[in-house]
Structure formats: structure tokens, C-alpha cells
Amino acid sequence: MSDDNCQSNAVETPCAKKIKIDDQNGNGENENQIELKKFIPTKILNNNTSKKIVSVLGNFKDKSGVGIVILEKKAFKEQDLSSEGYFSCDTKVHPFFQNDIYGNFECYPISSVNGVKTTTIYPATEKHISKYTKQEVHLILETPACYNTLTLPHLQKEQFTLQWVYNILEGKSEQDRIVYNNTCETNGFVLVPDLKWDGLTKETLYLLAIVRQRGIKSIRELDDRHLPLLKNIRDEGKKAILDKYNLPSSQLRIYLHYQPSFYHLHIHFTYIQHEAPGIYAEKSHLLDTVINNIEIMNDYYKKVTLPFTIREMDTLFNIYETNGYVKKIKADVIDNDGFKRSNSLSSIESLSDYSDEESDVTCCIPIEEFCYIIPNSMSCLKVDKNTISFRILTEPKNGGGFYSEFLPTDTIDNKPKVNNMNINLKANEDIQIVCANCSNMISNNFVKFDRILELPTSNLDMSEWFCHNHSHGNTSETIVLQPQKLDFLHRLTFFVINNNLLTDKANKFNLQREIYHCNRCLAWLGIKKKDTVQLYNSEVKISHNNEETYAFTHKNSTDNISIDDFIYTIENMMNEFNLGLQYTIMYKIVLECLISASNKQYVLLWIMDKELQVLRNTDDLILNEKIKLQSTVLTKVLYKIESSLNTEVEAWLADPSVISTDISKSMFTRGVAHLEKMSLKVPEMFRYTNGYCVSYLKV
């Protein structure tokens, strides 16, 4: 290369990693070495009989934490198929049967050709355990928008450490394994054997080219600036493998993975006849094809939809599931008609680590009357101080389908959700309208409304609201609602009246304001709209016979009218949601609060489950070591607060599947505080996803 600092070095590779003198103790033993004889298996994570690989979870004696041991039967080496290998005089054979010309035996070759490739991971994290556990796999079609809003934030927050990669690049480790080394910081790379290869067997050749340039996570970030790097890896990698292993380029498969196993750009080199993991269409992208695509369109991989596979225990799966792109596969559970299934109660008891000696601190959660627990489905176990959280899959006992969750009840109100509202005024009744904060009268003394009418939902065509006094034949005619002066028009938790019904003093005070304030205490009361004022139930009261009350009150209300109005607004918008879009999967709602003439705040709400079945304990006391459960239904949401009209809010408001409404200032502040309080009932590790907070509408 023209750059004097770009140097290439081909390095001899021994069959095993050497032990450095610094790592040895006085007995010549490596103090950091993991000894398999000290491994205590606790669970088989995955036993792949086709690939002859087994992953085992366990503990090492005298070491804290858990570890994973991966055992893999190696491919046959041609040089071992000789009288000094498998056919040596020391090979033992046990016959199974002999029939005419056919014989079937079990062969025990000499130990030198009968090794098992072994990989250890210690200490193993939850991510490692998830990676090596057998589970359902799904295919995701990732658009650029999905990458930027779902995948990338996840990668920036959660990924495996890259320190081991930097150790190789900086010459701190595995230097004796390097096959080829180009030290150019821009277009250089290091070629090393993959951990899945023993470094010797040609039939399973597998090398990785790890780029020296940092900050390139994956194929998604490649463009025409990286073409010299990609071509350099292709050309120099082929030559190095030919020189070292005598494999021509026509017998090499050179490709990138998406998603990769670690997010520092690397390229795979494998023998074409070796069926290495991840060589199939949903994951593998040939390097020559990648180069060609970028030459055709320089930002091709920033615009294209890319497929990738994802497993159900991956945290990224939870993000895509939450956003409605994928759904978990329900495990098959055979009932008594076929095979006897595990009893749900016994499964719970096994989680509680029951023993006679510890019966005073053990209790059972008898959920068998509600559902079955699917065996071996627990995941995401976390112990934090005095809290244990985990996920288990359930199935309803009497048919149907639902998700179940467990909630504590120390502060739970057992009342049902707010779903009804009373209107506390009548037509032709003398009332006064006053500020709810200071009781200042804002109406022109007494007001008597001729009509009390409900406004239509914003999702309806206005022409469908009337049955008279408009043209039925002219469909192009714009329908405009023209309220009469003494009409009281209400919707959700606000009402609209003519501003002439309000005092001259209050109107004069609000003449130059878009927001309608109390002229005495300056409280936020509503929004001015031409010759009408939209007043909010939580901000004003009506006075009748010297008694003040809110215009609307809720049955089974909480202690705060703003929270009642907040919940009622969301519940009613959910009920109206399908009027405009019949086949929606997830409800999306924007609640807007006007702070000033040019400033709004927003609550972005995704309704995850409108009717989520929740099991909760009904008594503070535990009787007979059993917790009594009660089934109830509530609404689970994702929410996010935005203090200005940014690009995300604009995208929501432009989406025809999203509905929105204005809410009062106190509804906004009290409602957000309510969601924050309800979110505390969600275990912390499940509480946040992709910038949104998980909460319940009301518990």
C-alpha cells in the first residue's frame, strides 16, 4: 500500500494458544485456566444432535458466578484416516450386529484423534445464557426506520463488551493466533481463526477478519467510503489463506453476518464445503455482493430493508414484540387426553425452593385455578435486594388465550376502572361557572343553557352527526358545526360555550391570550377558539343553589378529579379508536397540553394491552403458607413525555392511525405523575424499552 504506516505481516499459527510466563505460578500452571474437572453441570442449555454440539450451564468449584461449557465433536481430518489414526492397532471395536456383508460397530479410537473441541465462558452473563439456550427463532424484516428507532438504540444500550476485540487489535492478547496482520488504521485488519475452528482442520476452516477502524458496527453503516477497506480485506485475505492453507479463492466463502454476534465490523472466511453457522440467506451477505451494491448505490445499506433472525429470549425480540412486529410462539402443552402435563402448583413450589427446614419463610402461589405454567419457560430471572422478578409463559386452563401478570397489592385500590361519568347540570337550570382553584366567578352571573349536547368524536365525518338541516345530496359541502349561544356542548372531559356567556372582566383579561386564565388567580382554565371557549372539567366548577361541583363527576372516582379525567379520556379514546380504523393492532394516542401560544407538551401513549388479565394477592396475610389470588383486568401502556414538537411527535401526529386530543394543564401534570406511580409496579428490568416507560392505566 502507498501509506508507509500500513504494514502487512503473515504470522505462523500454532495449534494451541501458548501460556505466557507471566501467567504461570511456581508450578508452571496457568492461574487463570479453567479446569473442567471442577465444573459442576446444572442445566443443559442446548443439545444440537445434528451439529454434535452441546451447551451446558454450571458452576466451577471455588468460583462464584456461573459458567458455560460448549462441547463439539470435531470433523474428521484426512490425515487421521490411517493406520496411525482411526485404524491403528489400539483402536477398540464393539460390534452391534453382523449380517451378511453389513456390520455395525461402536468404535473407540486412540485419544489423539478423539478430542472434543471445548469452549468455556466464565463468568457467563444473562446474555451469554440466552445466546446458547435453545429457543424459538423468528425472521424480522428491518427497515431503515426500524433500525434507527428500535435496533440502534438497543445496540447502544445493550451489547457484549468489545474489550476482547480491542485486546487483539492492540496486541495485548491472542497474538500467537494471528494469521495475517495489516496495521493500517484506516484500511487494515487482523485475520485470526474463529473460536469455532481448531486452527488445523482444513475441512472446517473458519477465520475472521477484524477491521482496525473502530466505530463501524455492522453492514448497516457501510458506504462508498469503506470500499477500499472491504476490497483490501477481500484481496489480502484470499492471498493470506492461499499462502497459509493452500486454499484457492474459488473455495472460500467470504461474507458478513447481519445481525452480527458482536458489533465491531468483521468478515467471515470459511471453506466452501463447510456448513458453518449463519451461512444461510437470512443472515449471510457475500462480501463481493456487498461491494457491488455499494458501487451501484453508495448508501445502499442505509436505505435497504435487511432481514435478520432473532430468538425469543433476546432483549431485542422484546422490543420488536412490544412494537407489534413479531409475537412469541405459544408452547404446545398436551393435556390429560394425551400425556400428563406438569402441575402448575408444583412448578411454582419448585421456584420457591421449598424445604421442611425453611417452611417458615416459604409460601406457595396457587395459580392453578387460573392457568397452567408452561414448563421450562422461566427467563430474565433477576434478584435485586428483596425483589425477585422473572418471566414465565402461561396458558389459560379453560381455553382461550391471554397474558397474565402478578402485581403486589400493598397500595392497590380494588375498585373497578372508571368507565362512567355523570353530568351535573340540566337544561334551563340557573348555574354559575367559577374557577375551581379560587371560586372566582367567570360567567355573566347566572347562565341558563337551552341545550346540553355531546360533541362527536373527531374520527367521525361531521355530516354523519346530523340527521336534519343539511344537504343530503351535495357530498362536497363542508359541514361546519354552528353552536347556538346558549348551547352547552361537551366531549370527553371538556365543554365548549360561547365566550359571550363569560364576564367582560374575564374576557378583557384574556383578550390577547390563546389560553383562557382565571383573571383573579391566573389558573389555567381552557383554550380560546374563535368566539367560543373550551373549558376543562378539572379547572372549573358549576355553582347551583350555593353548592359548587364539577360539571362532570365519575363513578368509582379516585381522590383527584384531574386523574379521573385523565383516565376517562384515555379509556374513551380507546373505545372510539376503531371507528376510524377497524383493523388496528395497537392503539396510539397523543395527549396535547397547550402551555403558551407557541408551546405544547405531549404524552405519547401506546396501548400495549387494553384488557390484560392480572393476578394479584387479595390479603396482606398469608394463610396456610398460600397466597390467595384474584383475577382482574386492566390496561397496560407504554408512554413517553415530549416537551416540544420534535420529529417523533410530528411523525405520530401525521400518522392516520393515531388519534389525539387536548387536555388541561392539571390533567397533564397529575396524569403523568399517575403513570409514573403505576410504572413502579412493573419490575425495574422490564420498566423501560426504547425510550418508553411501561405502566398501567389504573390498578
Side-chain angles (χ1 to χ4, degrees), residues 185-244:
E185 290 299 324
T186 304
N187 297 324
F189 65 98
V190 173
L191 189 65
V192 294
D194 187 90
L195 288 175
K196 292 182 281 294
W197 186 41
D198 61 10
L200 293 174
T201 310
K202 169 188 169 182
E203 291 77 11
T204 58
L205 180 138
Y206 198 146
L207 296 107
L208 286 183
I210 304 175
V211 304
R212 289 196 169 275
Q213 188 178 155
R214 301 191 184 188
I216 311 174
K217 294 183 178 64
S218 69
I219 193 175
R220 268 289 184 200
E221 300 185 353
L222 294 177
D223 54 36
D224 56 344
R225 297 171 300 170
H226 304 110
L227 285 175
L229 169 64
L230 298 177
K231 292 178 179 179
N232 199 43
I233 292 173
R234 178 191 62 188
D235 299 338
E236 293 186 14
K238 287 179 179 179
K239 185 178 184 303
I241 293 174
L242 177 63
D243 294 343
K244 175 68 178 175

Side-chain angles (χ1 to χ4, degrees), residues 431-435 440-443 449 495 497 535 540-541:
I431 64 164
Q432 293 175 313
I433 303 175
V434 301
C435 171
N440 175 44
M441 187 171 66
I442 62 172
S443 63
F449 291 104
F495 57 90
I497 61 174
L535 297 174
V540 297
K541 290 183 177 181

Side-chain angles (χ1 to χ4, degrees), residues 465-669:
W465 193 53
F466 300 94
C467 60
H468 299 290
N469 297 327
H470 72 282
S471 172
H472 289 272
N474 185 6
T475 57
S476 62
E477 179 182 352
T478 301
I479 305 299
V480 179
L481 182 63
Q482 295 289 351
Q484 298 178 14
K485 181 178 179 181
L486 294 178
D487 282 348
F488 181 95
L489 306 178
H490 64 91
R491 167 162 164 72
L492 297 175
T493 56
F494 64 82
F495 57 90
V496 178
I497 61 174
N498 192 292
N499 61 0
N500 290 329
L501 299 178
L502 304 179
T503 64
D504 292 338
K505 190 174 182 180
N507 281 338
K508 185 177 180 181
F509 177 80
N510 288 286
L511 184 63
Q512 303 299 324
R513 295 176 173 84
E514 187 171 341
I515 300 172
Y516 203 88
H517 294 273
C518 173
N519 60 300
R520 177 192 289 175
C521 68
L522 305 182
W524 193 107
L525 301 182
I527 303 171
K528 293 170 58 179
K529 295 190 175 181
K530 294 184 179 180
D531 57 349
T532 63
V533 177
Q534 182 171 301
L535 297 174
Y536 283 83
N537 181 57
S538 57
E539 314 304 321
V540 297
K541 290 183 177 181
I542 58 173
S543 176
H544 177 63
N545 295 332
N546 295 323
E547 291 186 5
E548 292 183 3
T549 184
Y550 291 101
F552 315 126
T553 53
H554 304 273
K555 296 179 180 178
N556 305 312
S557 64
T558 65
D559 295 332
N560 189 282
I561 187 65
S562 298
I563 295 176
D564 288 341
D565 286 355
F566 182 82
I567 295 172
Y568 180 85
T569 297
I570 295 171
E571 288 180 347
N572 275 269
M573 293 182 76
M574 286 192 298
N575 292 333
E576 297 170 352
F577 196 92
N578 288 337
L579 292 174
L581 292 170
Q582 186 176 358
Y583 301 107
T584 52
I585 298 175
M586 296 184 71
Y587 301 90
K588 296 174 72 174
I589 298 172
V590 179
L591 301 178
E592 307 177 40
C593 179
L594 187 65
I595 303 301
S596 65
S598 59
N599 186 25
K600 274 189 175 183
Q601 291 180 320
Y602 304 87
V603 180
L604 307 184
L605 274 172
W606 278 23
I607 311 302
M608 298 175 65
D609 199 324
K610 182 181 177 183
E611 295 180 347
L612 173 71
Q613 180 175 9
V614 172
L615 305 178
R616 64 189 190 190
N617 54 303
T618 56
D619 301 307
D620 292 334
L621 297 177
I622 300 175
L623 302 177
N624 299 323
E625 297 179 355
K626 286 190 177 182
I627 298 175
K628 185 178 179 182
L629 295 177
Q630 182 184 53
S631 175
T632 188
V633 173
L634 51 78
T635 300
K636 190 174 185 179
V637 302
L638 282 173
Y639 76 93
K640 188 177 188 180
I641 310 303
E642 297 291 354
S643 58
S644 62
L645 184 64
N646 55 29
T647 54
E648 184 172 11
V649 177
E650 288 179 341
W652 275 56
L653 293 175
D655 188 341
S657 66
V658 176
I659 54 177
S660 63
T661 190
D662 290 299
I663 61 174
S664 71
K665 188 174 181 180
S666 69
M667 286 173 63
F668 185 94
T669 55

Side-chain angles (χ1 to χ4, degrees), residues 76-91:
F76 292 99
K77 301 176 185 177
E78 292 183 3
Q79 61 266 32
D80 292 335
L81 301 175
S82 65
S83 59
E84 296 180 355
Y86 289 97
F87 308 118
S88 74
C89 58
D90 294 323
T91 296

Side-chain angles (χ1 to χ4, degrees), residues 346 348-364 625:
S346 63
I348 288 291
E349 287 178 336
S350 66
L351 293 177
S352 65
D353 195 22
Y354 185 86
S355 66
D356 293 335
E357 292 77 15
E358 297 178 338
S359 59
D360 58 327
V361 294
T362 304
C363 62
C364 301
E625 297 179 355

Side-chain angles (χ1 to χ4, degrees), residues 81-204:
L81 301 175
S82 65
S83 59
E84 296 180 355
Y86 289 97
F87 308 118
S88 74
C89 58
D90 294 323
T91 296
K92 297 180 180 180
V93 176
H94 290 174
F96 283 147
F97 71 86
Q98 184 84 36
N99 187 353
D100 194 22
I101 64 173
Y102 302 102
N104 198 326
F105 309 89
E106 186 164 11
C107 176
Y108 298 92
I110 58 177
S111 60
S112 61
V113 299
N114 200 27
V116 175
K117 182 178 179 297
T118 305
T119 303
T120 62
I121 302 174
Y122 176 82
T125 66
E126 190 71 32
K127 294 178 186 176
H128 291 115
I129 296 172
S130 173
K131 177 179 178 180
Y132 290 99
T133 299
K134 184 178 181 180
Q135 50 192 292
E136 294 287 350
V137 179
H138 299 257
L139 184 68
I140 297 290
L141 296 178
E142 180 195 74
T143 64
C146 288
Y147 174 76
N148 290 320
T149 59
L150 302 179
T151 306
L152 183 58
H154 166 75
L155 301 185
Q156 293 169 338
K157 182 179 179 182
E158 296 186 29
Q159 61 172 301
F160 290 118
T161 176
L162 296 176
Q163 189 56 51
W164 69 274
V165 176
Y166 301 148
N167 288 343
I168 295 174
L169 297 177
E170 295 168 3
K172 296 179 180 179
S173 64
E174 301 193 39
Q175 297 307 290
D176 51 349
R177 301 181 72 242
I178 293 177
V179 174
Y180 183 83
N181 189 4
N182 183 322
T183 58
C184 177
E185 290 299 324
T186 304
N187 297 324
F189 65 98
V190 173
L191 189 65
V192 294
D194 187 90
L195 288 175
K196 292 182 281 294
W197 186 41
D198 61 10
L200 293 174
T201 310
K202 169 188 169 182
E203 291 77 11
T204 58

